[in-house]
Amino acid sequence: MGRRFWGVVLCLALGLGGGVARAFDLEDVARLAEALAREPWRERQPQVPEWMRVGQMTYDQWRDIRFRPDRALWRAEGLPFQVQLFHPGLFFDRPVRVNLVDGSHVQPLVYSTEYFDFGKNTFASRIPQDLGWAGLRIHAPIKRPDYFDEVAVFLGASYFRALGRDNVYGLSARGLAIDTVEPTGEEFPRFVELWLERPAPGATSLVLYALLDGPSMAGAYRFRIVPGEQTAMDVEVRLFARRVPKVVGLAPLTSMFFFGENTTRCFDDFRPEVHDSDGLLLHFASGEWLWRPLDNPPRIDVASFRMENPRGFGLVQRDRSFANHQDLETRAELRPSAWVEPRGAWGRGAVRLVAIPTTSEMDDNIVAFWVPDVPPTPGQPFAFGYRLWWYGDDPMRSPGGRAVATRRDRGPVGSARDAYRYVLDFEGAALAALPAESPPKAVVTVTGGVTVFDEHVYKNPVTGGWRLTFQIRPRDPKPVELRAFLEHGGHALTETWSAAWLP
């Protein structure tokens, strides 16, 4: 479908064929997505010239192409947001169309080499004049009023990421996850067109629309981005299915976990821990909070957590101590957490956590998403919404005692070698208030075929928290699910800690 088709659809949608014009909105993008879904899927985005793709263009060449800050959108008008564009090439070989929206007026942003400084590169004259864009980044005065910091990026497939005020970039989100780690291979639908709504003077939020397309799904997205100490994204989605894949993952988050205090290492690295996120946090409709520490498993590990109408889930960077990371370049202790807060009733389904083994910190090997029991089906629009938070630490997620460290070994010296010991540290205000002579009670549960023994709870005089230790003895070489929390007087004082022992 060409630009003329989209122009006709948009003119009819906006009432430009003789009726009263109205503002461009999500329903206009949904009409485009629905029209796409009625057609057999085909790749509609032309590739960049071969000499600009991986294997021909180097990373250093692509990185040397820099957007000219003086050409940033809305900079000259002094508006509260500015936008810069990324140049296609290398991994980003399918250009994205970008449009500017001002009320009912929609205008394509036409590519030009004049937007970029090509550095040492000498190939600017070879670039097609209708090339398009790789993606965009949004700037706002999030730290101080006289400087526009980068606060969000939309770049590559349906990937996007953002920052809270005091964060540096870490994990990413996606528009949709399709057949992640399924034997048939994962599908990566892409945002093929973006629309930026012109902000009003003094605006505190920016609206961006996106059109998604892939072999299984087409979709329309509206992002309302509110930068701040915790940057919020209100996301509204309309999906239209061409077919039903095996797994449809909604509100997916993608992160990296190389190693942490709970990882058995067989290599040298001066850093104690390397990860963008160190746990999955879940908030159930019942009010229960569950913490699942991440790990770099020996083989692909998939865990599902059944829920109905979840209150939230997210990949969290809980360890905020520089001493536990020691990386002056990446500043992992400043990486954001991302929290999905559903809007409306999402019904029954499961949060799925996928951990993929990796030998490099360059790989995003952790994925978490919502899998509805009733997925999108062809011919039926599927709508949902959520608020996505990007933040540092938040005492309300979770508000009670937290599992702040997970360690394991083969038990004390002289122990039987068929046992495994877990050492869990919990911290929180209610826990700190308990005197050493009034310890909480540990509630430890495991799946069948496992013996739990040598269980102890004792005060940590250094942190003021409490440490739980226990050992397990698996009887069969099968994965074991573990859960534990602390209670006092019949009341839970902590979130539920959850982990898997893998043989």
Side-chain angles (χ1 to χ4, degrees), residues 75 78-82 139-149 151 165 202-203 227:
R75 176 174 178 145
L79 296 181
F81 290 87
Q82 296 177 11
H139 295 247
I142 192 173
K143 295 183 186 294
R144 63 178 203 248
D146 60 336
Y147 186 79
F148 281 70
D149 286 286
V151 298
R165 184 192 63 198

Side-chain angles (χ1 to χ4, degrees), residues 76-289:
E77 296 93 325
L79 296 181
F81 290 87
Q82 296 177 11
V83 175
Q84 299 184 19
L85 287 303
F86 289 99
H87 199 282
L90 197 65
F91 306 111
F92 311 107
D93 59 359
R94 298 280 182 180
V96 178
R97 297 183 292 270
V98 176
N99 306 277
L100 304 181
V101 177
D102 189 355
S104 63
H105 182 65
V106 180
Q107 179 180 355
L109 182 63
V110 179
Y111 168 86
S112 171
T113 55
E114 297 299 317
Y115 283 98
F116 297 94
D117 179 347
F118 286 84
K120 298 178 181 179
N121 296 312
T122 60
F123 49 64
S125 61
R126 299 174 58 192
I127 297 174
Q129 294 305 302
D130 59 349
L131 184 63
W133 315 94
L136 57 83
R137 55 178 173 239
I138 297 166
H139 295 247
I142 192 173
K143 295 183 186 294
R144 63 178 203 248
D146 60 336
Y147 186 79
F148 281 70
D149 286 286
E150 191 172 322
V151 298
V153 166
F154 288 75
L155 178 67
S158 68
Y159 283 87
F160 59 95
R161 56 183 181 169
L163 299 168
R165 184 192 63 198
D166 303 318
N167 300 140
V168 299
Y169 278 126
L171 81 168
S172 301
R174 280 191 275 168
L176 204 60
I178 301 291
D179 288 344
T180 303
V181 300
E182 288 299 315
T184 52
E186 184 167 3
E187 177 187 321
F188 289 90
R190 293 197 294 269
F191 289 145
V192 297
E193 190 156 6
L194 304 174
W195 291 261
L196 287 162
E197 196 172 276
R198 179 186 177 91
T204 58
S205 64
L206 180 70
V207 174
L208 178 146
Y209 301 93
L211 176 65
L212 178 130
D213 194 21
S216 298
M217 302 273 173
Y221 290 71
R222 181 184 186 271
F223 298 89
R224 178 177 170 266
I225 303 165
V226 187
E229 180 181 358
Q230 295 192 17
T231 290
M233 289 183 172
D234 289 318
V235 187
E236 295 181 62
V237 186
R238 307 285 187 272
L239 294 179
F240 302 89
R242 289 189 177 91
R243 66 177 184 88
V244 181
K246 188 172 182 180
V247 177
V248 178
L250 308 183
L253 303 172
T254 301
S255 192
M256 177 273 293
F257 187 97
F258 189 23
F259 60 88
E261 79 266 359
N262 58 326
T263 305
T264 301
R265 286 195 277 165
C266 57
F267 57 88
D268 291 328
D269 196 302
F270 77 93
R271 298 165 295 181
E273 304 182 33
V274 176
H275 48 72
D276 287 343
S277 309
D278 56 4
L280 171 71
L281 183 63
L282 305 173
H283 192 192
F284 292 78
S286 63
E288 180 187 12
W289 293 82

Side-chain angles (χ1 to χ4, degrees), residues 371-414:
V371 181
D373 281 0
V374 181
T377 56
Q380 298 293 325
F382 187 96
F384 67 100
Y386 57 99
R387 173 166 284 189
L388 179 56
W389 296 94
W390 307 81
Y391 62 99
D393 193 21
D394 187 332
M396 298 308 295
R397 303 188 186 104
S398 59
R402 298 179 175 186
V404 297
T406 299
R407 297 177 176 89
R408 64 188 179 196
D409 60 17
R410 298 306 296 268
V413 175

Side-chain angles (χ1 to χ4, degrees), residues 340-502:
V340 175
E341 186 179 280
R343 295 301 176 87
W346 277 20
R348 295 182 178 180
V351 172
R352 184 167 298 185
L353 175 65
V354 177
I356 304 169
T358 181
T359 58
S360 169
E361 63 189 278
M362 304 305 293
D363 298 328
D364 280 344
N365 62 320
I366 303 294
V367 190
F369 47 81
W370 172 256
V371 181
D373 281 0
V374 181
T377 56
Q380 298 293 325
F382 187 96
F384 67 100
Y386 57 99
R387 173 166 284 189
L388 179 56
W389 296 94
W390 307 81
Y391 62 99
D393 193 21
D394 187 332
M396 298 308 295
R397 303 188 186 104
S398 59
R402 298 179 175 186
V404 297
T406 299
R407 297 177 176 89
R408 64 188 179 196
D409 60 17
R410 298 306 296 268
V413 175
S415 298
R417 304 314 296 167
D418 61 346
Y420 299 83
R421 176 172 62 174
Y422 284 82
V423 180
L424 313 180
D425 281 320
F426 291 90
E427 294 180 10
L431 290 173
L434 287 177
E437 60 273 15
S438 181
K441 176 186 176 183
V443 180
V444 181
T445 58
V446 298
T447 52
V450 177
T451 300
V452 179
F453 65 99
D454 197 26
E455 182 182 303
H456 302 279
V457 180
Y458 46 93
K459 188 82 170 181
N460 185 329
V462 178
T463 66
W466 290 82
R467 175 166 287 185
L468 163 64
T469 66
F470 63 90
Q471 296 191 59
I472 64 169
R473 181 175 290 119
R475 300 171 188 168
D476 301 306
K478 297 178 182 179
V480 176
E481 281 289 326
L482 313 168
R483 292 197 177 190
F485 65 92
L486 300 182
E487 68 172 15
H488 193 266
H491 300 286
L493 295 180
T494 70
E495 64 195 7
T496 301
W497 169 90
S498 168
W501 174 82
L502 301 176

